[in-house]
Amino acid sequence: MSKPATAPKNKVTIGHVFKTIVWPRRKLLFIGLILIVISRAAGLVPPWATKPFMDDILVNHQMDKLPMLLIGVTIAILIQAVTSFLLTKILSVEAQHLISVLRSRVQKHLLRLPIRFFDNQKSGALVSRVMNDVEGVRNLVGTGLVQLVGGVLTAIISVGFLININPLMTLFVLLPMSIFGVITLKAFSIIRPVFRERGKITAEVTGRLTETLNGVRVIKGFNAEPQEIKVFEKGVDQLFQNVKKSLTSTSFVTSAGTFLVGLASVGIMGLSGYFNLTAGDFLQFTMFMVFMIAPIVQMSNIGSQLTEAFAGLDRTEELMNMPIEDDGTVRTVKIGTIKGDMEFKNVSFAYEEGKPVLKNIDFKAPAGTVTALVGTSGSGKTTIAGLTASFLNPDSGTITIDGIDMSKVSLDSFRSQLGVVLQDDFLFEGTIRENILFPRPNATENELKSAVHAAFVHEFTDRFELGLDTVIGERGVKLSGGQRQRIAIARAILANPRILILDEATSNLDTESESFIQDSLKTLMQGRTTFVIAHRLSTIRQADQILVIEDGQIAERGKHEELIEKKGRYFQLYTYQARI
Ligand code: ADP
């Protein structure tokens, strides 16, 4: 068997799947197996009945045997119907249950991966991995596996009957079927990587489509629809080529099956003349032959489903094997309520090896103070904020919180005391109330109201018919930038964090919004250790310390007046109104 050129790194093995997916469900699968044995045994009654029907009733006119035969066949059909109903019901429900469990598990793992993982991924592609890749197990736990076993059983029993009727003719049937078996196995070894690739393409195409839809304003704004259409067409075509590849293999298997079955039938016809079979024997032989071949052909279908399942599990496994940001082994210190003293000691950081973004950053941010980070775009301010939030980890040097090394602190215990208000703050589709409540869904109505007032959210929601229960569109597009900011501020006030990270909007807000936002930010920052990527002069003037970042280093530090007096880099930025 030829090996695929690029052997996937995280290929799941049959043993692994058996241990984790099949074995825990052994009871249900065993019940399924019993049901399928009953169902298949009942299914063998009609072909068996053809011989007595032909030879005894039609040829020898033994009519007294007819009622029993009819009753027997009817009961067998009934048993078959009931058992296959139960089979589908029990196993399909279990399969769907497993799919939902796996989806939750993958989503949970995904959310625990470090921020840097998401920098390199399309969100739509990840959606596809969570939703589609696990779908395949339906065929493992559902009726697929059981049918496979049932099929094998039926085929074996049928072979027994066939040998009983005529061993030589049986051999004649088995030969083409064995060839078919070999072809099928070969085909599946070719198809598995194709299926694996398909999942990847689907994820990419879905990912791009999601991005296109999210960025529809930019696309229309730049009249870039034709380009997006082209990219999508290319993706869809890749998908088509992939499906075509697997279709070629599967149709080859099906046609080979049909051809070989036909060949066997022709041979049987000839041989039954040669062996002088009775009409009943001939009919019974043919029927059993169909009963032997049908499950084998069916097995090739199931085989393709199982191949798809394995390919999906390969991809899921790949994701599940990625290390999470806090597995509890290194970050063992659980901190209680913190004071909020933070310190960077000689911290350096690079996104890519050899290209340092931060160099020897060294500063103290005492509890309850405001540290403003200023500097030109690309100087490293966001990276410092990311390190503060422990989204990133220093390559060298340490960051401490209340004197404790941050790299040892459990992320849960730290982040529950962290709040972030970002420039284009993320709002969920839902009501304004839900958006504010999301860090603390169980906050009381009074707590909510006071956050809403502190951030002046009521100033505009009072004008809405539904007030706080107004539904905002995806990413809050129906609100102005200033209104979105105020919701984000209310959210942070309600969360009541000890450490606050603020990325001020660079775009100019209308003067009215601006004054509301300034007032609410003052309330928000009070008593919290705040790091602000500052663009507003008012914020910068109030800061306890300003760090001027230049090319990944602290070029200057101090308060506004001190720095102005110094007439250095800050003075330049300030007086020339360069982008701070
Ligand atoms: P600022 O916030 O001051 O504009 P950043 O901290 O965002 O600056 O960026 C500092 C430098 O790091 C820039 O040169 C930027 O290109 C680079 N950078 C930022 N994010 C990434 C990333 N995820 N991967 C690689 N380089 C990055």
Side-chain angles (χ1 to χ4, degrees), residues 164-205:
N164 191 36
I165 300 171
N166 191 314
L168 207 67
M169 277 168 64
T170 309
L171 199 66
F172 197 83
V173 178
L174 281 181
L175 196 70
M177 288 329 288
S178 316
I179 298 173
F180 177 65
V182 173
I183 292 177
T184 312
L185 280 180
K186 177 92 185 152
F188 289 137
S189 72
I190 297 170
I191 298 176
R192 185 166 169 184
V194 177
F195 275 133
R196 208 184 128 91
E197 185 70 19
R198 181 175 310 168
K200 230 167 83 187
I201 301 172
T202 310
E204 255 169 43
V205 175

Side-chain angles (χ1 to χ4, degrees), residues 116 119-120 349 351-352 357-358 375-384 392 503 533 549:
R116 304 225 19 215
D119 285 347
N120 306 316
F349 177 84
Y351 289 99
E352 293 158 40
V357 168
L358 294 181
T376 48
S377 166
S379 54
K381 305 181 295 292
T382 311
T383 309
I384 294 182
L392 307 168
D503 193 355
I533 298 174
I549 312 297

Side-chain angles (χ1 to χ4, degrees), residues 153-169:
L153 278 180
T154 317
I156 291 173
I157 297 172
S158 299
V159 170
F161 275 105
L162 289 175
I163 292 176
N164 191 36
I165 300 171
N166 191 314
L168 207 67
M169 277 168 64

Side-chain angles (χ1 to χ4, degrees), residues 56-163:
D56 301 346
I57 297 165
L58 285 189
V59 178
N60 294 327
H61 301 289
Q62 296 172 347
M63 291 315 246
D64 52 323
K65 285 190 177 171
L66 186 61
M68 275 314 285
L69 200 66
L70 291 184
I71 291 172
V73 173
T74 312
I75 291 175
I77 293 170
L78 195 68
I79 290 176
Q80 226 188 337
V82 173
T83 45
S84 44
F85 168 78
L86 288 176
L87 195 67
T88 313
K89 189 169 150 51
I90 295 174
L91 291 183
S92 299
V93 169
E94 179 56 21
Q96 291 300 331
H97 178 236
L98 176 64
I99 288 173
S100 51
V101 169
L102 283 182
R103 277 186 185 142
S104 304
R105 208 180 288 162
V106 177
Q107 189 255 14
K108 186 174 160 196
H109 188 83
L110 192 63
L111 284 187
R112 294 169 74 193
L113 293 177
I115 285 277
R116 304 225 19 215
F117 166 80
F118 296 92
D119 285 347
N120 306 316
Q121 298 284 332
K122 289 194 184 104
S123 53
L126 292 175
V127 169
S128 165
R129 299 188 74 159
V130 175
M131 295 307 286
N132 302 340
D133 284 358
V134 299
E135 273 268 345
V137 296
R138 191 184 60 231
N139 301 314
L140 274 178
V141 176
T143 47
L145 188 66
V146 171
Q147 269 177 6
L148 191 70
V149 177
V152 173
L153 278 180
T154 317
I156 291 173
I157 297 172
S158 299
V159 170
F161 275 105
L162 289 175
I163 292 176

Side-chain angles (χ1 to χ4, degrees), residues 13 73 142 213:
T13 58
V73 173
L213 298 179

